[in-house]
Amino acid sequence: KAMADRDEGITFDAGKLTLGEFLHVWLEDSVKDRVKLATYEGYARMVRNHISPALGGIKLKNLTPPHLRRLYREKLELGLGTRSVQYIHTTLHKALKQAVDDGLILRNVADSVKPPQLKRTEMKPLSPKQAKALLEAAGGDRFEAMYVLAITAGLRQGELLGLKWEDVDLEGGKLQVRRTLYKGNFTTPKSLRQ
């Protein structure tokens, strides 16, 4: 397989390949055009902002669980949320799984590392008094219906902006979220909501 890849112009010197180099190739060849745009951009952001600056210069074959644990601890100490650190772990885990599948490394070191536990913060929805004040202030605004829908249905901004009249069944009193707006593009939600 390695000789066939070489003949096709695909060559990796796994001994010299750094994590940063591998992650760049992984994003372009294994992620882009295979996942939703938002997912690709999320992985790319984690690589660009967090993983490559800290670990990108380490040779892929020399990456160890302590490297990952130190990265996670440092990110938490800098104030990054546990959910973001979990996403760094998810990104590394998926990338390193691909490296194992490609025969570049023998094991996925992320398998040996547990990301920090998610610290859930209780949501603080508007009180009935606050919701009423918001709707009164929005009265007559061209987006009034969107504010009403946001408060009564609990839709996210992208879901609200992705709605079309065909998603509304006024007689049945139903609304179906079939698309979301993300950075000017419509994408399908992870799951349909009614």
Side-chain angles (χ1 to χ4, degrees), residues 18-100:
T18 65
L19 177 63
E21 293 166 340
F22 171 73
L23 290 172
H24 174 75
V25 171
W26 172 73
L27 284 168
E28 294 304 308
D29 295 348
S30 299
V31 179
K32 197 175 194 177
D33 302 323
R34 289 181 174 81
V35 297
K36 291 183 180 183
L37 176 63
T39 302
Y40 168 77
E41 288 180 350
Y43 289 153
R45 189 172 43 257
M46 290 298 124
V47 168
R48 182 178 58 251
N49 295 339
H50 302 291
I51 302 169
S52 283
L55 304 176
I58 297 172
K59 288 182 182 172
L60 181 62
K61 68 176 186 170
N62 293 340
L63 189 67
T64 63
H67 286 121
L68 303 190
R69 283 192 285 272
R70 186 177 324 117
L71 171 66
Y72 302 164
R73 182 180 40 79
E74 288 173 356
K75 292 298 176 179
L76 290 170
E77 288 173 357
L78 288 171
L80 199 63
T82 53
R83 180 68 192 112
S84 295
V85 176
Q86 284 183 340
Y87 198 54
I88 291 170
H89 177 76
T90 298
T91 304
L92 274 166
H93 192 272
K94 287 182 182 290
L96 295 174
K97 180 183 182 315
Q98 186 66 56
V100 170

Side-chain angles (χ1 to χ4, degrees), residues 16 24 27 40 50 54 78 110 116 133 155 164 171 179 190:
K16 294 181 181 177
H24 174 75
L27 284 168
Y40 168 77
H50 302 291
L78 288 171
L155 297 181
K164 293 185 177 184
E171 291 178 15
R179 72 199 67 71
K190 290 182 180 177

Side-chain angles (χ1 to χ4, degrees), residues 101-139:
D101 291 348
D102 290 347
L104 298 173
I105 53 177
L106 296 177
R107 72 182 186 110
N108 184 341
V109 297
D111 283 338
S112 303
V113 180
K114 289 187 179 7
Q117 271 194 319
L118 186 62
K119 293 180 183 173
R120 298 200 181 267
T121 55
E122 189 173 330
M123 288 184 66
K124 296 180 182 173
L126 296 177
S127 69
K129 185 178 178 180
Q130 292 170 321
K132 183 179 178 185
L134 174 64
L135 293 177
E136 286 173 0

Side-chain angles (χ1 to χ4, degrees), residues 2-20:
M3 290 190 309
D5 285 348
R6 182 201 63 212
D7 293 343
E8 293 177 24
I10 305 168
T11 56
F12 288 111
D13 184 348
K16 294 181 181 177
L17 186 66
T18 65
L19 177 63

